[in-house]
Amino acid sequence: MEKYIINGGNKLYGGVEIQAAKNSVLPILAATVLTDDKVSILKIPEISDVKNMIKILSRLGCRAVYDGGSLTVDSSCADCFEIPSELAHELRSSVFLLGSVISRFHMAKIAYPGGCDIGLRPVDLHLTGLKRLGVQITEENGYIICKCENLKGNEIMLDCPSVGATENIMLAAVKADGITVIKNAAREPEIEDLQRLLNCMGAKVRGAGSSSITIEGVKKLHGCEFLPIADRIEAGTFLVAAAMCGGEIELNRVCAENISSLLHKLRENGCKIIVNNDKIILENHRRLTSVKSVETQPYPGFPTDLQAQMTALCCICRGNSIITENLFETRFKYVPELRKMGADITVINRNAFVRGVDRFKGATVLAHDLRGGAALVCAALSADGRSEVLDISHIDRGYGSFEYKLRQLGGDIVRVSV
């Protein structure tokens, strides 16, 4: 096990190049199973979720090779339709492989997926959508077993705009017979990125970014070289860190539109923000003012993956805030850890009532999940004194070279083995 040791109080200055989006790269890796040709993914982040997905692909018979920051996947030798339980439990995004593996082998077997413990995230929407494409599904001994002779296009209405279900259905439908229309589809930028990738491979997908996606099935897909979008959650995390610590940072290779809800709140806090093409500059040299409320919503609303970081920021602003989590039931697990650092937060059901304090104080805290862990790092960087953030394996799931990038900006943070 490893931890971060952080001496807080330094302002952050400098530039950061944002990694390829974790939530885009994982379904893109799943899509590589759909072709016998090689697919090269550029600027792929070195995070544990990607490494676990590569392990799963290897167990399916695919070959994955790193080359100077890019990853090339060759699925021509894929010969297995079972996604191993020990890896599925480590990575919730393993469920994306259902659609691809069914399309490839007309069979798939997967253990119920894992990931961060942030509340119920049932795969019912995934399975319901696959059934509409003609997949027969049984569940036994903790496994989901899928079979179909031929995937057939259909109209699929999602009960809610689930990102994972939308992507899984897209992956299953690209080589199905006929036309598939996904209604009430998720609209996240990562959905659009998956459409770009699939169309680069020869698919016929349109409508991503809207609530209706149409997929016209094709017989075969080919390889390609692809650069995923930048990680809007990593970008948002660095912006929040700079807002909390003070200073001036410039993010490179990031689309401001994809995090417009966060930028709106940071301006409301009092930060100076300049957007210039694919660059975002944030400047802050004073204590900020609390926003009155933040409510997480599906895109283009405020992202649940930035809720913890925004809550940490509100803790040291003037005034009071109400943070409402509408998507996941247990996403406030980080709150007791922030209280150890002096935060004044009361959680009632899905609401966190935050009363601003002057600043955080150094403490030893535990990361319970990916984004909550990132919020604790932001808090520790801005705190008075020394902090330790334990169990940073959660943070490694989504942030590559996190401590290195923060040190480049002037943060006093080191990783040590426990």
Side-chain angles (χ1 to χ4, degrees), residues 20-21 28 38 118 136 229 368:
I28 285 171
K38 295 179 180 179
I118 55 176
Q136 298 175 348
I229 58 172
H368 292 282

Side-chain angles (χ1 to χ4, degrees), residues 315 335 338-345 354-355 357 359-360:
C315 285
V335 166
L338 287 181
R339 287 195 191 115
K340 294 177 185 177
M341 304 180 74
D344 187 349
I345 309 174
V354 180
R355 289 162 289 275
V357 298
R359 64 183 307 173
F360 286 115

Side-chain angles (χ1 to χ4, degrees), residues 311-324:
T311 302
L313 170 59
C314 289
C315 285
I316 55 172
C317 291
R318 287 192 186 87
N320 302 329
S321 300
I322 301 174
I323 314 295
T324 303

Side-chain angles (χ1 to χ4, degrees), residues 102-103 105-108 133-136 146-151:
I102 291 167
S103 180
F105 297 109
H106 301 286
M107 291 189 68
L133 297 176
V135 179
Q136 298 175 348
C146 303
K147 298 179 182 179
C148 78
E149 292 186 9
N150 291 296
L151 289 165

Side-chain angles (χ1 to χ4, degrees), residues 25-26 29 39-55 57-58 63-74 396 400:
V25 166
L26 296 176
L29 284 170
V39 177
S40 294
I41 307 164
L42 308 179
K43 293 187 180 292
I44 195 159
E46 293 192 38
I47 55 177
S48 60
D49 269 10
V50 166
K51 293 173 183 176
N52 280 328
M53 184 65 97
I54 291 170
K55 289 178 184 177
L57 291 173
S58 298
R63 292 191 294 265
V65 178
Y66 277 107
D67 181 17
S70 300
L71 179 75
T72 298
V73 180
D74 181 354
D396 291 337

Side-chain angles (χ1 to χ4, degrees), residues 12-19 230-231 234-239 241-242 248-254 278-281 399-402 404-410:
L12 303 183
Y13 290 93
V16 180
E17 182 167 339
I18 300 302
Q19 67 188 18
D231 195 313
E234 185 195 37
T237 301
F238 278 105
L239 290 172
E248 182 177 345
I249 68 168
E250 178 181 292
L251 306 185
N252 300 304
R253 205 184 82 79
V254 60
D278 66 346
K279 300 181 187 297
I280 300 176
I281 299 170
Y399 297 90
S401 306
F402 196 33
Y404 172 78
K405 291 178 179 179
L406 288 169
R407 281 200 301 271
Q408 291 291 101
L409 296 174

